[in-house]
Amino acid sequence: TVRIKYATVADARATARKVKNVNKPFARKIQILTVMEQRAKVSGKTEQAAIAKRAKEALRRQRKR
């Protein structure tokens, strides 16, 4: 289980870093970051949502190589 914390910008960065380094399938990582992005967006935390979105894009670019 990956704990999703996004209360502060630092929490969001730490969660994104943790998701990138965890040993789970690509699809699961994308799902985790999507949940974080959606929850942050609904909470009005736009910076944290942007961090999650950038992390997803980075994972996709990495996978494309």
Side-chain angles (χ1 to χ4, degrees), residues 1 5 8 15 22-23 25-27 36 40 44 46 48-49 51 55 58 63:
T1 312
K5 282 182 74 178
T8 65
T15 300
V22 76
N23 183 21
F26 169 78
M36 185 168 101
T46 54
Q48 286 91 318
I51 289 168
R63 184 174 167 91

Side-chain angles (χ1 to χ4, degrees), residues 1-5 11-36 52 55-56 59 62:
T1 312
V2 178
R3 303 280 178 223
I4 302 172
K5 282 182 74 178
D11 285 342
R13 284 199 183 105
T15 300
R17 196 176 313 114
K18 192 189 308 175
V19 169
K20 284 182 187 177
N21 293 326
V22 76
N23 183 21
K24 291 206 179 291
F26 169 78
R28 183 70 184 117
K29 291 179 184 183
I30 295 295
Q31 283 176 336
I32 294 165
L33 289 169
T34 301
V35 167
M36 185 168 101
K56 284 197 307 187
L59 277 174
Q62 194 177 13

